[in-house]
Amino acid sequence: MDCREYAIQCMKDEAQAILDLIPQLDDNFTHAVKLIMECQGKVIVTGVGKSGHVGEKIAATLASLGTPSFFLNPLDAYHGDLGMVATGDVVMAISYSGYTDELLRFIPLLIERKIPIIGLSGNPHSLLAKYSACHLNIKVKHEADPLRLAPTSSTTATMVMGDALACALVRLRQFKAQDFAQFHPGGSLGKRLLSHARDYMVSHDLPIVSPTTKVVDAIITISNGKLGLAIVMDASERLLGIITDGDVRRAVQRHGREMFDLVVTDIMTPSPKTVSPDASLSEVDEILRRHSIHALVVTDIDGKVVGIIDSFRVMS
């Protein structure tokens, strides 16, 4: 028995369920996007059971992409949480059958308060569809599990429909990576876009050599600095260049033993790439990649050296 065969069939079934959604898209999708775009309050996603679990994910995705949204269990709405729903909100109600009792009992409360409903079900003739301002058809041919019973293809289709709404909203709102980072300050993207070179640069005990320093002595400075380079500065602290591990290796190949008679200016990289302390880590990373280098000298507005930032600190 090769279990991978079962896995492949499941994946094929769910992939087909997603593709089958495309011809089911109609003006209701456009209407749903418009409702969310014009929503003055929050998008409240609701559902029971597996639909509820998927609804939580959809609400989280919408929220992370700029649409104020949260999940509300309809059962909790009967016990005080209905106070979370206010005029100006939009409710996205999920029920594959379109007849989930706990959800339908919640619907009249919304209609009474004139809260528009975006219904997601696999039955465009269901009660949920009937009472929705717009209905998104998530019908699938069959579930992916061997018994054709467990919510598999249907939950995948529901999640994809939620993602489709979120992606359409991103396009229409011209939502940018910087906006996304505002909602993910603790993630790697948030770090790269919201943090700056000054936050991660090495600014103390910088490896500095003069232009007349012997290469042999510069190697010791590079080694002690543990940054793979040393900054070359003159007596007035003017940046002249950098000397890197790579410069030293190339000097050995080119000059052999004569290298020990050379000074820093003989092998340094003049006019090194620099960056402002205010540059975002994303900008720093882009410069490092574009020039295929591993470190940048950080200089202030007057050109004074204030630190070094390398690829390790950008990516860590």
Side-chain angles (χ1 to χ4, degrees):
M1 178 184 67
D2 188 351
C3 292
R4 288 176 297 180
E5 293 181 9
Y6 305 144
I8 291 170
Q9 187 57 54
C10 174
M11 292 175 184
K12 285 182 177 180
D13 286 345
E14 296 203 16
Q16 188 59 53
I18 294 172
L19 293 175
D20 289 342
L21 289 178
I22 296 174
Q24 295 172 187
L25 285 176
D26 55 21
D27 291 342
N28 280 285
F29 184 85
T30 304
H31 188 189
V33 172
K34 188 171 185 290
L35 278 175
I36 297 174
M37 284 285 290
E38 296 176 351
C39 177
Q40 298 298 307
K42 308 168 294 297
V43 174
I44 301 166
V45 186
T46 186
V48 179
K50 301 297 188 297
S51 293
H53 297 317
V54 175
E56 290 185 70
K57 188 273 179 188
I58 292 174
T61 298
L62 289 171
S64 71
L65 292 172
T67 297
S69 178
F70 65 86
F71 177 79
L72 173 64
N73 189 315
L75 299 176
D76 294 330
Y78 308 133
H79 300 283
D81 285 1
L82 187 61
M84 297 179 179
V85 185
T87 301
D89 291 344
V90 171
V91 167
M92 184 183 300
I94 306 171
S95 165
Y96 186 72
S97 69
Y99 288 98
T100 304
D101 181 65
E102 299 91 336
L103 186 65
L104 291 178
R105 285 191 283 124
F106 181 39
I107 298 298
L109 305 177
L110 300 174
I111 294 175
E112 182 181 0
R113 302 176 68 174
K114 295 183 168 59
I115 305 295
I117 300 167
I118 299 172
L120 276 71
S121 84
N123 184 353
H125 305 292
S126 64
L127 285 178
L128 175 59
K130 178 181 178 181
Y131 291 110
S132 296
C134 54
H135 176 262
L136 302 181
N137 190 356
I138 51 172
K139 181 179 177 61
V140 299
K141 292 179 180 177
H142 56 74
E143 300 291 1
D145 81 290
L147 300 176
R148 305 298 194 225
L149 296 174
T152 45
S153 295
S154 60
T155 49
T156 298
T158 305
M159 189 174 298
V160 168
M161 187 63 78
D163 288 343
L165 286 168
C167 290
L169 290 163
V170 166
R171 290 287 192 178
L172 292 173
R173 286 177 171 153
Q174 298 183 326
F175 197 76
K176 301 292 192 302
Q178 288 83 357
D179 302 315
F180 185 82
Q182 296 287 338
F183 299 105
H184 299 75
S188 60
L189 179 62
K191 171 190 169 183
R192 286 161 58 81
L193 291 173
L194 301 179
S195 298
H196 302 86
R198 65 172 176 269
D199 302 318
Y200 287 86
M201 69 184 185
V202 175
S203 57
H204 300 290
D205 300 320
L206 296 176
I208 297 172
V209 295
S210 74
T212 57
T213 301
K214 288 282 190 179
V215 170
V216 174
D217 296 325
I219 292 174
I220 296 173
T221 301
I222 292 172
S223 177
N224 291 338
K226 299 179 181 179
L227 294 171
L229 60 82
I231 302 172
V232 185
M233 297 171 60
D234 60 18
S236 62
E237 297 187 347
R238 182 168 58 100
L239 175 64
L240 300 178
I242 59 172
I243 178 171
T244 68
D245 288 336
D247 292 327
V248 173
R249 287 194 300 272
R250 286 185 289 273
V252 171
Q253 293 173 338
R254 187 180 306 116
H255 301 284
R257 291 181 178 276
E258 295 178 4
M259 183 199 72
F260 293 101
D261 297 322
L262 302 177
V263 295
V264 164
T265 49
D266 294 324
I267 69 168
M268 74 178 187
T269 300
S271 303
K273 302 298 179 185
T274 63
V275 70
S276 161
D278 296 324
S280 69
L281 292 192
S282 180
E283 293 176 78
V284 173
D285 184 49
E286 194 278 329
I287 296 172
L288 292 173
R289 291 177 184 274
R290 189 195 327 147
H291 297 285
S292 299
I293 54 180
H294 84 279
L296 291 169
V297 179
V298 185
T299 56
D300 64 17
I301 193 172
D302 298 318
K304 180 181 178 182
V305 174
V306 294
I308 296 173
I309 187 164
D310 57 23
S311 55
F312 176 78
R313 284 165 179 77
V314 171
M315 301 306 296
S316 63

